[in-house]
Amino acid sequence: MAKRKVAFITGIAGQDGSYLADFLLEKGYKVAGLMRRTSNIRRTNITHLLGKISIEFGDLLDYHTLESAIKKHQPDEVYNLAAQSVPADSWTHPIYTGEVTALGVTRMLEAVRSGKPDAKFYQGSSREVFGGARHQVCNEETPYLANNPYGVAKVYGHLITRTYRESYGMFACGGILFNHESPRRGLHFVTRKITMGVACIKLGIANPPLNEAGEPLVIDGKLLLGNLEAKRDWGYAKEYVEAMWLMLQRKEPEDYVIATNSLNSVKDFCKSAFEQVGLNWKDHVRSHVQFTRPTEITASRGDYSKAKKELGWEPKTGFQDLVKLMVEADLERLSR
Ligand code: NDP
Ligand code: GDP
């Protein structure tokens, strides 16, 4: 019988890590993953996977836990998805963001180089590397003009991955993913904030979860957001994790843009989400300067044609369907 492949995922309890674990288990992999000891294992996206995956407690700040986890599991594939992943928080935590989201990548690459140098390595790069680029459509050749501390850290992570590939011959790929959302998205991101807000308002929830400012998400039937004109290329996370895996199945390691090549605004998202439950977003959403940012990235779409041609990957879930599935999931979650 063929030996089961082993995958090691950092950030396994996050949105992408948990979908990737689902996907790889389905493919017959043995899956191990890193999470912080401070994370509440019962409140995460992986409750349904406990017993099917191995958990290592560790931190991207601590090289030795990473090295010993790689030595112990001897993975065929390593997916580095852990990060301080919230761009909005990177202005208030710029040094921590650099330590985790930038230098954390080097720690992981060193851990792999020391513990299992022939493992294939995926780095969770981001469209934030393009930052303020004056391109309406970005692809693998677009210059990196990151304009917030998170984006700058992601440029470092992307380039150090490429550097290890070129310097040591490691099979290391950077997936430049545009925003991708799902019912497992953190509440401090705008899409989930909106769908959870819609569900709280529709169901008249008395004690809504807290927003990123530590206040109730909904007060007197109103949801406070920031810049409603901001636009993003939003896809469905469950589909994006397949692209990560496909990159590591190629003969040669390369970088790929993963996106939908379409743009919608926060306002479009609000309109569609409130319509799902028969409400008018204008009655419930307010824009407040508290949630706006010092700089915004350019409203750019992602050109995924290289991924389509070489990986056979393309997005399937459109914007309206994504909003619908997220609203339905939050309604169901709160009804339970
Ligand atoms: P999440 O925020 O859902 O998951 C990130 C995970 O990283 C969390 O589980 C978190 O653990 C873990 N983490 C944070 N800090 C540390 C640390 N110091 N040591 C170890 N683990 C840590 O993000 P996503 O799943 O959405 O994203 C996955 C990756 O892809 C991230 O690197 C993100 O920056 C990147 N990305 C995401 C995009 C998106 O739209 N979702 C777009 C482009 C890139 P804990 O549970 O303990 O908090
Ligand atoms: P990001 O693209 O990874 O930063 O994802 P976010 O979901 O955090 O933000 C997407 C866009 O929504 C950004 O341009 C924000 O300025 C905008 N936005 C508007 N209101 C809010 C809000 O209340 N919270 C967050 N997080 N973003 C908001």
Short mmCIF file of all heavy atoms in Angstrom, two decimals, residues 253-279:
data_model
loop_
_atom_site.label_atom_id
_atom_site.label_comp_id
_atom_site.label_asym_id
_atom_site.label_seq_id
_atom_site.Cartn_x
_atom_site.Cartn_y
_atom_site.Cartn_z
N PRO A 253 8.58 24.73 -8.84
CA PRO A 253 7.93 25.69 -7.94
C PRO A 253 7.83 27.07 -8.58
O PRO A 253 8.80 27.58 -9.15
CB PRO A 253 8.90 25.74 -6.75
CG PRO A 253 10.23 25.35 -7.31
CD PRO A 253 9.97 24.44 -8.46
N GLU A 254 6.64 27.66 -8.50
CA GLU A 254 6.44 29.01 -9.06
C GLU A 254 5.43 29.75 -8.21
O GLU A 254 4.76 29.16 -7.37
CB GLU A 254 5.91 28.90 -10.49
CG GLU A 254 6.99 28.57 -11.49
CD GLU A 254 6.51 28.64 -12.93
OE1 GLU A 254 5.87 29.65 -13.29
OE2 GLU A 254 6.76 27.66 -13.66
N ASP A 255 5.27 31.05 -8.48
CA ASP A 255 4.30 31.87 -7.76
C ASP A 255 3.06 32.06 -8.64
O ASP A 255 3.18 32.16 -9.87
CB ASP A 255 4.91 33.24 -7.43
CG ASP A 255 6.20 33.11 -6.63
OD1 ASP A 255 6.32 32.13 -5.87
OD2 ASP A 255 7.09 33.97 -6.79
N TYR A 256 1.91 32.12 -7.99
CA TYR A 256 0.66 32.26 -8.75
C TYR A 256 -0.28 33.26 -8.08
O TYR A 256 -0.41 33.25 -6.85
CB TYR A 256 -0.09 30.91 -8.82
CG TYR A 256 0.61 29.87 -9.65
CD1 TYR A 256 1.55 29.02 -9.08
CD2 TYR A 256 0.35 29.74 -11.01
CE1 TYR A 256 2.21 28.07 -9.82
CE2 TYR A 256 1.01 28.77 -11.78
CZ TYR A 256 1.94 27.94 -11.17
OH TYR A 256 2.59 26.99 -11.93
N VAL A 257 -0.99 34.03 -8.90
CA VAL A 257 -2.09 34.87 -8.42
C VAL A 257 -3.37 34.04 -8.42
O VAL A 257 -3.68 33.34 -9.39
CB VAL A 257 -2.27 36.11 -9.33
CG1 VAL A 257 -3.64 36.76 -9.12
CG2 VAL A 257 -1.16 37.13 -9.06
N ILE A 258 -4.10 34.11 -7.30
CA ILE A 258 -5.39 33.41 -7.18
C ILE A 258 -6.45 34.46 -6.84
O ILE A 258 -6.31 35.18 -5.84
CB ILE A 258 -5.32 32.32 -6.09
CG1 ILE A 258 -4.22 31.28 -6.40
CG2 ILE A 258 -6.68 31.64 -5.90
CD1 ILE A 258 -4.43 30.48 -7.68
N ALA A 259 -7.47 34.56 -7.67
CA ALA A 259 -8.45 35.65 -7.53
C ALA A 259 -9.69 35.31 -8.35
O ALA A 259 -9.80 34.21 -8.91
CB ALA A 259 -7.82 36.95 -8.04
N THR A 260 -10.63 36.26 -8.42
CA THR A 260 -11.82 36.05 -9.26
C THR A 260 -11.85 36.99 -10.46
O THR A 260 -12.70 36.86 -11.33
CB THR A 260 -13.13 36.30 -8.47
OG1 THR A 260 -13.25 37.70 -8.20
CG2 THR A 260 -13.17 35.52 -7.17
N ASN A 261 -10.96 37.99 -10.47
CA ASN A 261 -10.94 39.02 -11.52
C ASN A 261 -12.24 39.81 -11.57
O ASN A 261 -12.70 40.22 -12.63
CB ASN A 261 -10.61 38.40 -12.89
CG ASN A 261 -9.93 39.42 -13.80
OD1 ASN A 261 -9.92 40.62 -13.49
ND2 ASN A 261 -9.39 38.97 -14.92
N SER A 262 -12.86 40.01 -10.40
CA SER A 262 -14.04 40.89 -10.35
C SER A 262 -13.97 41.72 -9.08
O SER A 262 -13.31 41.33 -8.11
CB SER A 262 -15.32 40.06 -10.39
OG SER A 262 -15.35 39.21 -9.26
N LEU A 263 -14.62 42.88 -9.10
CA LEU A 263 -14.54 43.80 -7.96
C LEU A 263 -15.93 44.14 -7.45
O LEU A 263 -16.85 44.34 -8.26
CB LEU A 263 -13.92 45.13 -8.40
CG LEU A 263 -12.42 45.35 -8.31
CD1 LEU A 263 -12.10 46.79 -8.64
CD2 LEU A 263 -11.86 44.98 -6.94
N ASN A 264 -16.07 44.25 -6.14
CA ASN A 264 -17.31 44.74 -5.54
C ASN A 264 -16.94 45.63 -4.36
O ASN A 264 -15.86 45.48 -3.76
CB ASN A 264 -18.18 43.57 -5.05
CG ASN A 264 -18.86 42.86 -6.21
OD1 ASN A 264 -19.85 43.33 -6.74
ND2 ASN A 264 -18.30 41.74 -6.63
N SER A 265 -17.85 46.54 -4.02
CA SER A 265 -17.56 47.44 -2.90
C SER A 265 -18.16 46.89 -1.61
O SER A 265 -19.03 46.00 -1.62
CB SER A 265 -18.14 48.82 -3.18
OG SER A 265 -19.56 48.73 -3.21
N VAL A 266 -17.75 47.49 -0.49
CA VAL A 266 -18.33 47.14 0.81
C VAL A 266 -19.84 47.43 0.76
O VAL A 266 -20.65 46.66 1.26
CB VAL A 266 -17.62 47.94 1.93
CG1 VAL A 266 -18.32 47.75 3.27
CG2 VAL A 266 -16.15 47.53 2.02
N LYS A 267 -20.19 48.53 0.10
CA LYS A 267 -21.61 48.88 -0.05
C LYS A 267 -22.36 47.78 -0.81
O LYS A 267 -23.46 47.38 -0.41
CB LYS A 267 -21.68 50.20 -0.84
CG LYS A 267 -22.92 51.01 -0.60
CD LYS A 267 -22.94 52.19 -1.55
CE LYS A 267 -22.32 53.42 -0.95
NZ LYS A 267 -22.35 54.58 -1.85
N ASP A 268 -21.78 47.29 -1.89
CA ASP A 268 -22.40 46.18 -2.65
C ASP A 268 -22.63 44.98 -1.72
O ASP A 268 -23.66 44.31 -1.79
CB ASP A 268 -21.51 45.69 -3.80
CG ASP A 268 -21.26 46.75 -4.86
OD1 ASP A 268 -22.12 47.62 -5.05
OD2 ASP A 268 -20.16 46.71 -5.48
N PHE A 269 -21.62 44.71 -0.89
CA PHE A 269 -21.72 43.55 0.02
C PHE A 269 -22.87 43.76 1.00
O PHE A 269 -23.69 42.87 1.25
CB PHE A 269 -20.39 43.32 0.75
CG PHE A 269 -20.24 41.92 1.30
CD1 PHE A 269 -19.44 40.98 0.68
CD2 PHE A 269 -20.95 41.54 2.44
CE1 PHE A 269 -19.33 39.68 1.17
CE2 PHE A 269 -20.85 40.25 2.94
CZ PHE A 269 -20.04 39.32 2.30
N CYS A 270 -22.96 45.01 1.55
CA CYS A 270 -24.04 45.30 2.51
C CYS A 270 -25.40 45.13 1.84
O CYS A 270 -26.30 44.50 2.39
CB CYS A 270 -23.94 46.75 3.00
SG CYS A 270 -22.55 47.05 4.06
N LYS A 271 -25.53 45.71 0.66
CA LYS A 271 -26.81 45.67 -0.05
C LYS A 271 -27.26 44.22 -0.24
O LYS A 271 -28.37 43.83 0.10
CB LYS A 271 -26.66 46.38 -1.41
CG LYS A 271 -27.90 46.48 -2.23
CD LYS A 271 -27.66 47.42 -3.43
CE LYS A 271 -28.91 47.58 -4.26
NZ LYS A 271 -29.31 46.37 -4.96
N SER A 272 -26.35 43.42 -0.75
CA SER A 272 -26.68 42.03 -1.05
C SER A 272 -26.98 41.24 0.23
O SER A 272 -27.94 40.45 0.28
CB SER A 272 -25.51 41.43 -1.82
OG SER A 272 -25.71 40.08 -2.02
N ALA A 273 -26.20 41.48 1.28
CA ALA A 273 -26.39 40.70 2.52
C ALA A 273 -27.72 41.04 3.20
O ALA A 273 -28.44 40.15 3.65
CB ALA A 273 -25.22 40.97 3.48
N PHE A 274 -28.06 42.33 3.26
CA PHE A 274 -29.33 42.70 3.91
C PHE A 274 -30.51 42.24 3.06
O PHE A 274 -31.55 41.85 3.59
CB PHE A 274 -29.36 44.20 4.20
CG PHE A 274 -28.63 44.56 5.47
CD1 PHE A 274 -27.28 44.88 5.46
CD2 PHE A 274 -29.29 44.55 6.70
CE1 PHE A 274 -26.60 45.19 6.63
CE2 PHE A 274 -28.62 44.85 7.90
CZ PHE A 274 -27.27 45.18 7.86
N GLU A 275 -30.34 42.28 1.72
CA GLU A 275 -31.43 41.80 0.84
C GLU A 275 -31.75 40.32 1.09
O GLU A 275 -32.89 39.90 0.93
CB GLU A 275 -31.05 42.01 -0.63
CG GLU A 275 -31.42 43.39 -1.12
CD GLU A 275 -30.90 43.68 -2.54
OE1 GLU A 275 -30.41 42.74 -3.21
OE2 GLU A 275 -30.98 44.85 -2.94
N GLN A 276 -30.74 39.56 1.47
CA GLN A 276 -30.97 38.12 1.74
C GLN A 276 -32.05 37.90 2.79
O GLN A 276 -32.70 36.87 2.82
CB GLN A 276 -29.70 37.45 2.26
CG GLN A 276 -28.55 37.38 1.30
CD GLN A 276 -28.85 36.54 0.08
OE1 GLN A 276 -29.56 35.54 0.17
NE2 GLN A 276 -28.34 36.96 -1.05
N VAL A 277 -32.18 38.87 3.72
CA VAL A 277 -33.15 38.69 4.80
C VAL A 277 -34.28 39.70 4.70
O VAL A 277 -34.99 39.98 5.67
CB VAL A 277 -32.46 38.78 6.20
CG1 VAL A 277 -31.47 37.65 6.39
CG2 VAL A 277 -31.79 40.13 6.41
N GLY A 278 -34.43 40.30 3.51
CA GLY A 278 -35.56 41.20 3.26
C GLY A 278 -35.43 42.56 3.94
O GLY A 278 -36.45 43.21 4.22
N LEU A 279 -34.19 43.00 4.22
CA LEU A 279 -34.00 44.31 4.86
C LEU A 279 -33.23 45.24 3.92
O LEU A 279 -32.53 44.79 3.00
CB LEU A 279 -33.22 44.16 6.17
CG LEU A 279 -33.89 43.35 7.29
CD1 LEU A 279 -32.92 43.14 8.46
CD2 LEU A 279 -35.16 44.04 7.77
#
